[in-house]
Amino acid sequence: GAPGKRSAGRALCAQCVIIGENGKRSGKKQLPMNYALIFAGGTGQRMNTKTRPKQFLELYGKPIILYTIEAFENHPAIDGIVVVCLKDWIPFLKKKIAHYDIAKVIDVVPGGVTGQESIRNGLAALGAAVGRDHAVFVHDGVRPLVSDETITRCAESVAAHGNAVSVTPAIETIVQEEGGTVTNIIDRAACRMAKAPQCFNIGELIDAHDRAQADGEEGFIDSASLMRHYGHVLHTVETGPENIKITTPSDFYIFRAFVDARESSEIFGF
C-alpha cells in the first residue's frame, strides 16, 4: 500500500543523499539534490466546487494534483517530492499516488490555515527527511502544465545562482490605482508575472519562514516575496504561458484544451 511505498521512497532518498560525486558512497561532501514541495492546502472557493477542492477535480479520471506531481516525478533532475495536502484528503491522495505508481513522494503532510503555513509544514517535513543542504522547488498543486523545460531551467539556475523564480512577461498594461483613478502606469517591458516553481536552498527558505513567524509576518503571497523581504537576491527563469494556476472554471477549460492538444500533437514546440 501507500505507506510501504513512502517508506521505500524515503529509504531510496536517504541512500541517494550519501552518494558522492563519483557515484559511489563516500564521506565527501554530497552533491546538492533537488526536491519538489507541492502544496495543495486550499479549499478552492473560487471554483464553486461544492463536493471537492479544486486540486482534486478530475480530468479524464485523474485529479489535477496528480498531473502536477507527475511533472516532477517524470523529470530526471528531481530527486524526491513532498506534498502538502488538506488533512481530510490525505488518505485519498495516498491511494492515488499508489495507483499511479508515483515513486518519488517522500511524504504527504497536512496543510495549514494559509499558504505560507502550508509551505512551512512541508519544509519541516522535507528538512527532517533530507536535511538543509539541498534545493526545494516550491510549486502549486493546481499548476499542472509546468513543462520539462521550465523545471530544467530552474535546476540550472539553482545550480548557478542558488535560487530560481519562474516568470512570464507581462502582456497587459499594468496600472496602479487609488480610489478608482489611475495613479501610475508601469512600464510593461520591466514587468514580469511571478509563477512557479520558485526554488531555493532548503535551509535558507526554512530560516526565512522562521524569521517571518518570529516577526508575526503571515501575509506573504509566495516564497519569492518572503525571500526578497529578507534580503535575498532572486534570479528569474522564463516559463511558458501555458504554466497557469487553475483557480477558476475557465482555467480548468484551458487546462483541458492543453491536455487535449498535447494528446493529439496539435501544438508544436512544446
Side-chain angles (χ1 to χ4, degrees), residues 212-249:
Q213 200 172 13
D215 294 344
E217 297 274 6
E218 291 290 335
F220 289 104
I221 194 75
D222 61 6
S223 298
S225 305
L226 173 70
M227 293 296 273
R228 179 88 174 80
H229 178 79
Y230 287 111
H232 292 269
V233 176
L234 307 183
H235 297 266
T236 59
V237 300
E238 193 151 321
T239 186
E242 79 284 354
N243 187 12
I244 60 169
K245 184 177 178 183
I246 300 174
T247 56
T248 66

PDB file of all heavy atoms in Angstrom, residues 212-249:
ATOM      1  N   ALA A 212       9.997  35.088   9.615  1.00  0.00           N
ATOM      2  CA  ALA A 212       8.662  35.647   9.379  1.00  0.00           C
ATOM      3  C   ALA A 212       7.717  35.304  10.534  1.00  0.00           C
ATOM      4  O   ALA A 212       6.936  36.151  10.988  1.00  0.00           O
ATOM      5  CB  ALA A 212       8.102  35.124   8.062  1.00  0.00           C
ATOM      6  N   GLN A 213       7.818  34.066  11.007  1.00  0.00           N
ATOM      7  CA  GLN A 213       6.969  33.638  12.118  1.00  0.00           C
ATOM      8  C   GLN A 213       7.306  34.440  13.383  1.00  0.00           C
ATOM      9  O   GLN A 213       6.406  34.907  14.089  1.00  0.00           O
ATOM     10  CB  GLN A 213       7.155  32.140  12.358  1.00  0.00           C
ATOM     11  CG  GLN A 213       6.022  31.490  13.126  1.00  0.00           C
ATOM     12  CD  GLN A 213       6.128  29.978  13.177  1.00  0.00           C
ATOM     13  OE1 GLN A 213       7.168  29.404  12.849  1.00  0.00           O
ATOM     14  NE2 GLN A 213       5.067  29.319  13.591  1.00  0.00           N
ATOM     15  N   ALA A 214       8.595  34.622  13.632  1.00  0.00           N
ATOM     16  CA  ALA A 214       9.033  35.396  14.810  1.00  0.00           C
ATOM     17  C   ALA A 214       8.595  36.854  14.704  1.00  0.00           C
ATOM     18  O   ALA A 214       8.260  37.491  15.708  1.00  0.00           O
ATOM     19  CB  ALA A 214      10.550  35.309  14.950  1.00  0.00           C
ATOM     20  N   ASP A 215       8.581  37.381  13.467  1.00  0.00           N
ATOM     21  CA  ASP A 215       8.182  38.776  13.235  1.00  0.00           C
ATOM     22  C   ASP A 215       6.669  38.956  13.150  1.00  0.00           C
ATOM     23  O   ASP A 215       6.182  40.083  12.978  1.00  0.00           O
ATOM     24  CB  ASP A 215       8.816  39.296  11.931  1.00  0.00           C
ATOM     25  CG  ASP A 215      10.339  39.385  12.014  1.00  0.00           C
ATOM     26  OD1 ASP A 215      10.875  39.340  13.141  1.00  0.00           O
ATOM     27  OD2 ASP A 215      10.988  39.481  10.947  1.00  0.00           O
ATOM     28  N   GLY A 216       5.918  37.843  13.209  1.00  0.00           N
ATOM     29  CA  GLY A 216       4.471  37.929  13.076  1.00  0.00           C
ATOM     30  C   GLY A 216       4.013  38.264  11.672  1.00  0.00           C
ATOM     31  O   GLY A 216       2.911  38.779  11.455  1.00  0.00           O
ATOM     32  N   GLU A 217       4.869  37.981  10.704  1.00  0.00           N
ATOM     33  CA  GLU A 217       4.561  38.268   9.288  1.00  0.00           C
ATOM     34  C   GLU A 217       3.982  37.015   8.649  1.00  0.00           C
ATOM     35  O   GLU A 217       4.702  36.097   8.276  1.00  0.00           O
ATOM     36  CB  GLU A 217       5.843  38.690   8.546  1.00  0.00           C
ATOM     37  CG  GLU A 217       6.483  39.963   9.058  1.00  0.00           C
ATOM     38  CD  GLU A 217       5.892  41.207   8.409  1.00  0.00           C
ATOM     39  OE1 GLU A 217       4.911  41.075   7.643  1.00  0.00           O
ATOM     40  OE2 GLU A 217       6.408  42.301   8.666  1.00  0.00           O
ATOM     41  N   GLU A 218       2.654  36.978   8.516  1.00  0.00           N
ATOM     42  CA  GLU A 218       1.994  35.785   7.969  1.00  0.00           C
ATOM     43  C   GLU A 218       1.335  36.050   6.616  1.00  0.00           C
ATOM     44  O   GLU A 218       0.624  35.196   6.099  1.00  0.00           O
ATOM     45  CB  GLU A 218       0.946  35.259   8.958  1.00  0.00           C
ATOM     46  CG  GLU A 218       1.547  34.658  10.227  1.00  0.00           C
ATOM     47  CD  GLU A 218       2.277  33.333   9.995  1.00  0.00           C
ATOM     48  OE1 GLU A 218       1.957  32.627   9.021  1.00  0.00           O
ATOM     49  OE2 GLU A 218       3.188  33.013  10.783  1.00  0.00           O
ATOM     50  N   GLY A 219       1.590  37.224   6.042  1.00  0.00           N
ATOM     51  CA  GLY A 219       0.837  37.610   4.841  1.00  0.00           C
ATOM     52  C   GLY A 219       1.583  37.533   3.528  1.00  0.00           C
ATOM     53  O   GLY A 219       1.134  38.109   2.524  1.00  0.00           O
ATOM     54  N   PHE A 220       2.718  36.838   3.481  1.00  0.00           N
ATOM     55  CA  PHE A 220       3.463  36.780   2.217  1.00  0.00           C
ATOM     56  C   PHE A 220       2.704  35.958   1.186  1.00  0.00           C
ATOM     57  O   PHE A 220       2.237  34.851   1.467  1.00  0.00           O
ATOM     58  CB  PHE A 220       4.860  36.188   2.445  1.00  0.00           C
ATOM     59  CG  PHE A 220       5.781  37.110   3.200  1.00  0.00           C
ATOM     60  CD1 PHE A 220       6.066  36.880   4.538  1.00  0.00           C
ATOM     61  CD2 PHE A 220       6.337  38.215   2.575  1.00  0.00           C
ATOM     62  CE1 PHE A 220       6.898  37.736   5.243  1.00  0.00           C
ATOM     63  CE2 PHE A 220       7.171  39.075   3.270  1.00  0.00           C
ATOM     64  CZ  PHE A 220       7.455  38.837   4.606  1.00  0.00           C
ATOM     65  N   ILE A 221       2.603  36.501  -0.020  1.00  0.00           N
ATOM     66  CA  ILE A 221       1.809  35.872  -1.065  1.00  0.00           C
ATOM     67  C   ILE A 221       2.498  34.643  -1.653  1.00  0.00           C
ATOM     68  O   ILE A 221       1.856  33.705  -2.107  1.00  0.00           O
ATOM     69  CB  ILE A 221       1.460  36.895  -2.181  1.00  0.00           C
ATOM     70  CG1 ILE A 221       0.352  36.373  -3.091  1.00  0.00           C
ATOM     71  CG2 ILE A 221       2.682  37.271  -2.992  1.00  0.00           C
ATOM     72  CD1 ILE A 221      -1.025  36.419  -2.496  1.00  0.00           C
ATOM     73  N   ASP A 222       3.837  34.644  -1.633  1.00  0.00           N
ATOM     74  CA  ASP A 222       4.573  33.487  -2.157  1.00  0.00           C
ATOM     75  C   ASP A 222       5.987  33.470  -1.584  1.00  0.00           C
ATOM     76  O   ASP A 222       6.388  34.376  -0.844  1.00  0.00           O
ATOM     77  CB  ASP A 222       4.600  33.485  -3.699  1.00  0.00           C
ATOM     78  CG  ASP A 222       5.293  34.706  -4.292  1.00  0.00           C
ATOM     79  OD1 ASP A 222       5.864  35.530  -3.532  1.00  0.00           O
ATOM     80  OD2 ASP A 222       5.283  34.847  -5.531  1.00  0.00           O
ATOM     81  N   SER A 223       6.738  32.419  -1.931  1.00  0.00           N
ATOM     82  CA  SER A 223       8.095  32.261  -1.390  1.00  0.00           C
ATOM     83  C   SER A 223       9.026  33.362  -1.877  1.00  0.00           C
ATOM     84  O   SER A 223       9.912  33.812  -1.147  1.00  0.00           O
ATOM     85  CB  SER A 223       8.645  30.885  -1.777  1.00  0.00           C
ATOM     86  OG  SER A 223       7.854  29.860  -1.229  1.00  0.00           O
ATOM     87  N   ALA A 224       8.847  33.804  -3.126  1.00  0.00           N
ATOM     88  CA  ALA A 224       9.698  34.864  -3.682  1.00  0.00           C
ATOM     89  C   ALA A 224       9.553  36.148  -2.861  1.00  0.00           C
ATOM     90  O   ALA A 224      10.545  36.810  -2.535  1.00  0.00           O
ATOM     91  CB  ALA A 224       9.347  35.113  -5.150  1.00  0.00           C
ATOM     92  N   SER A 225       8.315  36.506  -2.527  1.00  0.00           N
ATOM     93  CA  SER A 225       8.071  37.715  -1.723  1.00  0.00           C
ATOM     94  C   SER A 225       8.732  37.604  -0.361  1.00  0.00           C
ATOM     95  O   SER A 225       9.338  38.559   0.139  1.00  0.00           O
ATOM     96  CB  SER A 225       6.565  37.936  -1.535  1.00  0.00           C
ATOM     97  OG  SER A 225       5.900  37.984  -2.765  1.00  0.00           O
ATOM     98  N   LEU A 226       8.628  36.431   0.246  1.00  0.00           N
ATOM     99  CA  LEU A 226       9.229  36.180   1.553  1.00  0.00           C
ATOM    100  C   LEU A 226      10.746  36.318   1.489  1.00  0.00           C
ATOM    101  O   LEU A 226      11.356  37.025   2.315  1.00  0.00           O
ATOM    102  CB  LEU A 226       8.844  34.776   2.018  1.00  0.00           C
ATOM    103  CG  LEU A 226       9.503  34.229   3.286  1.00  0.00           C
ATOM    104  CD1 LEU A 226       9.007  34.959   4.522  1.00  0.00           C
ATOM    105  CD2 LEU A 226       9.229  32.734   3.430  1.00  0.00           C
ATOM    106  N   MET A 227      11.359  35.685   0.509  1.00  0.00           N
ATOM    107  CA  MET A 227      12.823  35.703   0.399  1.00  0.00           C
ATOM    108  C   MET A 227      13.338  37.096   0.042  1.00  0.00           C
ATOM    109  O   MET A 227      14.371  37.536   0.539  1.00  0.00           O
ATOM    110  CB  MET A 227      13.279  34.660  -0.618  1.00  0.00           C
ATOM    111  CG  MET A 227      13.016  33.226  -0.178  1.00  0.00           C
ATOM    112  SD  MET A 227      13.938  32.734   1.295  1.00  0.00           S
ATOM    113  CE  MET A 227      15.480  32.169   0.533  1.00  0.00           C
ATOM    114  N   ARG A 228      12.628  37.788  -0.817  1.00  0.00           N
ATOM    115  CA  ARG A 228      13.018  39.158  -1.182  1.00  0.00           C
ATOM    116  C   ARG A 228      12.945  40.061   0.048  1.00  0.00           C
ATOM    117  O   ARG A 228      13.823  40.894   0.283  1.00  0.00           O
ATOM    118  CB  ARG A 228      12.068  39.662  -2.276  1.00  0.00           C
ATOM    119  CG  ARG A 228      12.340  41.080  -2.751  1.00  0.00           C
ATOM    120  CD  ARG A 228      13.349  41.111  -3.877  1.00  0.00           C
ATOM    121  NE  ARG A 228      13.492  42.465  -4.416  1.00  0.00           N
ATOM    122  CZ  ARG A 228      14.215  43.424  -3.859  1.00  0.00           C
ATOM    123  NH1 ARG A 228      14.861  43.204  -2.719  1.00  0.00           N
ATOM    124  NH2 ARG A 228      14.310  44.613  -4.423  1.00  0.00           N
ATOM    125  N   HIS A 229      11.913  39.889   0.854  1.00  0.00           N
ATOM    126  CA  HIS A 229      11.732  40.692   2.062  1.00  0.00           C
ATOM    127  C   HIS A 229      12.924  40.540   3.005  1.00  0.00           C
ATOM    128  O   HIS A 229      13.332  41.507   3.658  1.00  0.00           O
ATOM    129  CB  HIS A 229      10.445  40.264   2.775  1.00  0.00           C
ATOM    130  CG  HIS A 229      10.176  40.992   4.051  1.00  0.00           C
ATOM    131  ND1 HIS A 229       9.641  42.266   4.098  1.00  0.00           N
ATOM    132  CD2 HIS A 229      10.366  40.625   5.357  1.00  0.00           C
ATOM    133  CE1 HIS A 229       9.524  42.651   5.354  1.00  0.00           C
ATOM    134  NE2 HIS A 229       9.953  41.678   6.144  1.00  0.00           N
ATOM    135  N   TYR A 230      13.482  39.331   3.060  1.00  0.00           N
ATOM    136  CA  TYR A 230      14.609  39.080   3.966  1.00  0.00           C
ATOM    137  C   TYR A 230      15.962  39.181   3.268  1.00  0.00           C
ATOM    138  O   TYR A 230      16.950  38.605   3.719  1.00  0.00           O
ATOM    139  CB  TYR A 230      14.415  37.741   4.686  1.00  0.00           C
ATOM    140  CG  TYR A 230      13.328  37.834   5.730  1.00  0.00           C
ATOM    141  CD1 TYR A 230      12.116  37.171   5.559  1.00  0.00           C
ATOM    142  CD2 TYR A 230      13.491  38.622   6.869  1.00  0.00           C
ATOM    143  CE1 TYR A 230      11.109  37.281   6.511  1.00  0.00           C
ATOM    144  CE2 TYR A 230      12.485  38.748   7.814  1.00  0.00           C
ATOM    145  CZ  TYR A 230      11.296  38.079   7.635  1.00  0.00           C
ATOM    146  OH  TYR A 230      10.298  38.209   8.577  1.00  0.00           O
ATOM    147  N   GLY A 231      15.991  39.923   2.154  1.00  0.00           N
ATOM    148  CA  GLY A 231      17.266  40.367   1.597  1.00  0.00           C
ATOM    149  C   GLY A 231      17.910  39.488   0.547  1.00  0.00           C
ATOM    150  O   GLY A 231      19.029  39.766   0.126  1.00  0.00           O
ATOM    151  N   HIS A 232      17.239  38.449   0.099  1.00  0.00           N
ATOM    152  CA  HIS A 232      17.833  37.575  -0.913  1.00  0.00           C
ATOM    153  C   HIS A 232      17.699  38.189  -2.302  1.00  0.00           C
ATOM    154  O   HIS A 232      16.665  38.766  -2.643  1.00  0.00           O
ATOM    155  CB  HIS A 232      17.168  36.196  -0.891  1.00  0.00           C
ATOM    156  CG  HIS A 232      17.474  35.408   0.353  1.00  0.00           C
ATOM    157  ND1 HIS A 232      18.541  34.542   0.437  1.00  0.00           N
ATOM    158  CD2 HIS A 232      16.873  35.382   1.566  1.00  0.00           C
ATOM    159  CE1 HIS A 232      18.577  34.004   1.648  1.00  0.00           C
ATOM    160  NE2 HIS A 232      17.582  34.505   2.356  1.00  0.00           N
ATOM    161  N   VAL A 233      18.762  38.086  -3.090  1.00  0.00           N
ATOM    162  CA  VAL A 233      18.736  38.490  -4.497  1.00  0.00           C
ATOM    163  C   VAL A 233      18.160  37.322  -5.292  1.00  0.00           C
ATOM    164  O   VAL A 233      18.682  36.208  -5.248  1.00  0.00           O
ATOM    165  CB  VAL A 233      20.146  38.835  -5.010  1.00  0.00           C
ATOM    166  CG1 VAL A 233      20.117  39.160  -6.501  1.00  0.00           C
ATOM    167  CG2 VAL A 233      20.725  40.001  -4.215  1.00  0.00           C
ATOM    168  N   LEU A 234      17.066  37.570  -5.993  1.00  0.00           N
ATOM    169  CA  LEU A 234      16.357  36.497  -6.690  1.00  0.00           C
ATOM    170  C   LEU A 234      16.679  36.498  -8.184  1.00  0.00           C
ATOM    171  O   LEU A 234      16.772  37.553  -8.802  1.00  0.00           O
ATOM    172  CB  LEU A 234      14.843  36.643  -6.491  1.00  0.00           C
ATOM    173  CG  LEU A 234      14.359  36.755  -5.039  1.00  0.00           C
ATOM    174  CD1 LEU A 234      12.842  36.829  -4.990  1.00  0.00           C
ATOM    175  CD2 LEU A 234      14.868  35.580  -4.208  1.00  0.00           C
ATOM    176  N   HIS A 235      16.822  35.309  -8.733  1.00  0.00           N
ATOM    177  CA  HIS A 235      17.147  35.145 -10.151  1.00  0.00           C
ATOM    178  C   HIS A 235      15.948  34.548 -10.886  1.00  0.00           C
ATOM    179  O   HIS A 235      15.339  33.585 -10.407  1.00  0.00           O
ATOM    180  CB  HIS A 235      18.381  34.248 -10.303  1.00  0.00           C
ATOM    181  CG  HIS A 235      19.610  34.833  -9.695  1.00  0.00           C
ATOM    182  ND1 HIS A 235      20.528  35.577 -10.403  1.00  0.00           N
ATOM    183  CD2 HIS A 235      20.064  34.829  -8.409  1.00  0.00           C
ATOM    184  CE1 HIS A 235      21.491  35.983  -9.614  1.00  0.00           C
ATOM    185  NE2 HIS A 235      21.233  35.545  -8.388  1.00  0.00           N
ATOM    186  N   THR A 236      15.634  35.136 -12.036  1.00  0.00           N
ATOM    187  CA  THR A 236      14.438  34.708 -12.765  1.00  0.00           C
ATOM    188  C   THR A 236      14.781  33.728 -13.886  1.00  0.00           C
ATOM    189  O   THR A 236      15.868  33.772 -14.464  1.00  0.00           O
ATOM    190  CB  THR A 236      13.708  35.915 -13.387  1.00  0.00           C
ATOM    191  OG1 THR A 236      14.589  36.593 -14.289  1.00  0.00           O
ATOM    192  CG2 THR A 236      13.235  36.870 -12.305  1.00  0.00           C
ATOM    193  N   VAL A 237      13.830  32.841 -14.153  1.00  0.00           N
ATOM    194  CA  VAL A 237      13.878  31.987 -15.341  1.00  0.00           C
ATOM    195  C   VAL A 237      12.523  32.113 -16.020  1.00  0.00           C
ATOM    196  O   VAL A 237      11.492  32.212 -15.358  1.00  0.00           O
ATOM    197  CB  VAL A 237      14.180  30.506 -15.013  1.00  0.00           C
ATOM    198  CG1 VAL A 237      15.513  30.354 -14.325  1.00  0.00           C
ATOM    199  CG2 VAL A 237      13.093  29.880 -14.174  1.00  0.00           C
ATOM    200  N   GLU A 238      12.524  32.112 -17.353  1.00  0.00           N
ATOM    201  CA  GLU A 238      11.269  32.281 -18.065  1.00  0.00           C
ATOM    202  C   GLU A 238      10.546  30.947 -18.199  1.00  0.00           C
ATOM    203  O   GLU A 238      11.146  29.923 -18.513  1.00  0.00           O
ATOM    204  CB  GLU A 238      11.506  32.897 -19.449  1.00  0.00           C
ATOM    205  CG  GLU A 238      10.213  33.367 -20.090  1.00  0.00           C
ATOM    206  CD  GLU A 238      10.395  34.545 -21.039  1.00  0.00           C
ATOM    207  OE1 GLU A 238      11.200  35.454 -20.730  1.00  0.00           O
ATOM    208  OE2 GLU A 238       9.747  34.534 -22.091  1.00  0.00           O
ATOM    209  N   THR A 239       9.242  30.986 -17.918  1.00  0.00           N
ATOM    210  CA  THR A 239       8.396  29.811 -18.106  1.00  0.00           C
ATOM    211  C   THR A 239       7.363  30.138 -19.178  1.00  0.00           C
ATOM    212  O   THR A 239       7.196  31.300 -19.557  1.00  0.00           O
ATOM    213  CB  THR A 239       7.711  29.396 -16.788  1.00  0.00           C
ATOM    214  OG1 THR A 239       7.011  28.164 -16.992  1.00  0.00           O
ATOM    215  CG2 THR A 239       6.742  30.442 -16.279  1.00  0.00           C
ATOM    216  N   GLY A 240       6.678  29.119 -19.685  1.00  0.00           N
ATOM    217  CA  GLY A 240       5.754  29.327 -20.796  1.00  0.00           C
ATOM    218  C   GLY A 240       4.404  29.851 -20.350  1.00  0.00           C
ATOM    219  O   GLY A 240       4.014  29.711 -19.181  1.00  0.00           O
ATOM    220  N   PRO A 241       3.648  30.446 -21.277  1.00  0.00           N
ATOM    221  CA  PRO A 241       2.323  30.988 -20.943  1.00  0.00           C
ATOM    222  C   PRO A 241       1.318  29.912 -20.550  1.00  0.00           C
ATOM    223  O   PRO A 241       0.308  30.202 -19.922  1.00  0.00           O
ATOM    224  CB  PRO A 241       1.896  31.691 -22.240  1.00  0.00           C
ATOM    225  CG  PRO A 241       2.690  31.030 -23.324  1.00  0.00           C
ATOM    226  CD  PRO A 241       4.000  30.641 -22.693  1.00  0.00           C
ATOM    227  N   GLU A 242       1.612  28.658 -20.902  1.00  0.00           N
ATOM    228  CA  GLU A 242       0.697  27.560 -20.537  1.00  0.00           C
ATOM    229  C   GLU A 242       0.774  27.191 -19.066  1.00  0.00           C
ATOM    230  O   GLU A 242      -0.098  26.467 -18.549  1.00  0.00           O
ATOM    231  CB  GLU A 242       0.977  26.312 -21.397  1.00  0.00           C
ATOM    232  CG  GLU A 242       2.164  25.478 -20.971  1.00  0.00           C
ATOM    233  CD  GLU A 242       3.528  26.067 -21.332  1.00  0.00           C
ATOM    234  OE1 GLU A 242       3.569  27.111 -22.029  1.00  0.00           O
ATOM    235  OE2 GLU A 242       4.548  25.491 -20.928  1.00  0.00           O
ATOM    236  N   ASN A 243       1.796  27.693 -18.354  1.00  0.00           N
ATOM    237  CA  ASN A 243       2.020  27.313 -16.951  1.00  0.00           C
ATOM    238  C   ASN A 243       1.068  28.092 -16.037  1.00  0.00           C
ATOM    239  O   ASN A 243       1.471  28.882 -15.199  1.00  0.00           O
ATOM    240  CB  ASN A 243       3.488  27.573 -16.588  1.00  0.00           C
ATOM    241  CG  ASN A 243       3.865  27.056 -15.213  1.00  0.00           C
ATOM    242  OD1 ASN A 243       3.120  26.308 -14.587  1.00  0.00           O
ATOM    243  ND2 ASN A 243       5.028  27.467 -14.726  1.00  0.00           N
ATOM    244  N   ILE A 244      -0.231  27.819 -16.208  1.00  0.00           N
ATOM    245  CA  ILE A 244      -1.266  28.573 -15.485  1.00  0.00           C
ATOM    246  C   ILE A 244      -1.596  27.903 -14.158  1.00  0.00           C
ATOM    247  O   ILE A 244      -1.381  26.707 -13.969  1.00  0.00           O
ATOM    248  CB  ILE A 244      -2.556  28.717 -16.324  1.00  0.00           C
ATOM    249  CG1 ILE A 244      -3.141  27.334 -16.662  1.00  0.00           C
ATOM    250  CG2 ILE A 244      -2.300  29.548 -17.570  1.00  0.00           C
ATOM    251  CD1 ILE A 244      -4.541  27.385 -17.252  1.00  0.00           C
ATOM    252  N   LYS A 245      -2.145  28.707 -13.270  1.00  0.00           N
ATOM    253  CA  LYS A 245      -2.648  28.211 -11.979  1.00  0.00           C
ATOM    254  C   LYS A 245      -4.169  28.090 -12.110  1.00  0.00           C
ATOM    255  O   LYS A 245      -4.840  29.052 -12.486  1.00  0.00           O
ATOM    256  CB  LYS A 245      -2.274  29.203 -10.873  1.00  0.00           C
ATOM    257  CG  LYS A 245      -2.653  28.766  -9.478  1.00  0.00           C
ATOM    258  CD  LYS A 245      -2.162  29.823  -8.485  1.00  0.00           C
ATOM    259  CE  LYS A 245      -2.559  29.460  -7.068  1.00  0.00           C
ATOM    260  NZ  LYS A 245      -2.140  30.513  -6.116  1.00  0.00           N
ATOM    261  N   ILE A 246      -4.697  26.912 -11.831  1.00  0.00           N
ATOM    262  CA  ILE A 246      -6.119  26.671 -12.043  1.00  0.00           C
ATOM    263  C   ILE A 246      -6.894  27.137 -10.819  1.00  0.00           C
ATOM    264  O   ILE A 246      -6.914  26.466  -9.786  1.00  0.00           O
ATOM    265  CB  ILE A 246      -6.382  25.181 -12.347  1.00  0.00           C
ATOM    266  CG1 ILE A 246      -5.616  24.779 -13.609  1.00  0.00           C
ATOM    267  CG2 ILE A 246      -7.880  24.929 -12.517  1.00  0.00           C
ATOM    268  CD1 ILE A 246      -5.691  23.310 -13.932  1.00  0.00           C
ATOM    269  N   THR A 247      -7.509  28.313 -10.947  1.00  0.00           N
ATOM    270  CA  THR A 247      -8.254  28.896  -9.820  1.00  0.00           C
ATOM    271  C   THR A 247      -9.704  29.194 -10.174  1.00  0.00           C
ATOM    272  O   THR A 247     -10.509  29.445  -9.281  1.00  0.00           O
ATOM    273  CB  THR A 247      -7.582  30.194  -9.321  1.00  0.00           C
ATOM    274  OG1 THR A 247      -7.460  31.099 -10.413  1.00  0.00           O
ATOM    275  CG2 THR A 247      -6.212  29.915  -8.741  1.00  0.00           C
ATOM    276  N   THR A 248     -10.063  29.192 -11.449  1.00  0.00           N
ATOM    277  CA  THR A 248     -11.438  29.484 -11.872  1.00  0.00           C
ATOM    278  C   THR A 248     -11.896  28.415 -12.859  1.00  0.00           C
ATOM    279  O   THR A 248     -11.069  27.690 -13.438  1.00  0.00           O
ATOM    280  CB  THR A 248     -11.526  30.857 -12.569  1.00  0.00           C
ATOM    281  OG1 THR A 248     -10.783  30.801 -13.797  1.00  0.00           O
ATOM    282  CG2 THR A 248     -10.956  31.974 -11.698  1.00  0.00           C
ATOM    283  N   PRO A 249     -13.203  28.297 -13.099  1.00  0.00           N
ATOM    284  CA  PRO A 249     -13.681  27.324 -14.091  1.00  0.00           C
ATOM    285  C   PRO A 249     -13.055  27.521 -15.470  1.00  0.00           C
ATOM    286  O   PRO A 249     -12.733  26.537 -16.148  1.00  0.00           O
ATOM    287  CB  PRO A 249     -15.188  27.576 -14.117  1.00  0.00           C
ATOM    288  CG  PRO A 249     -15.507  28.052 -12.728  1.00  0.00           C
ATOM    289  CD  PRO A 249     -14.320  28.901 -12.340  1.00  0.00           C
TER     290      PRO A 249
END
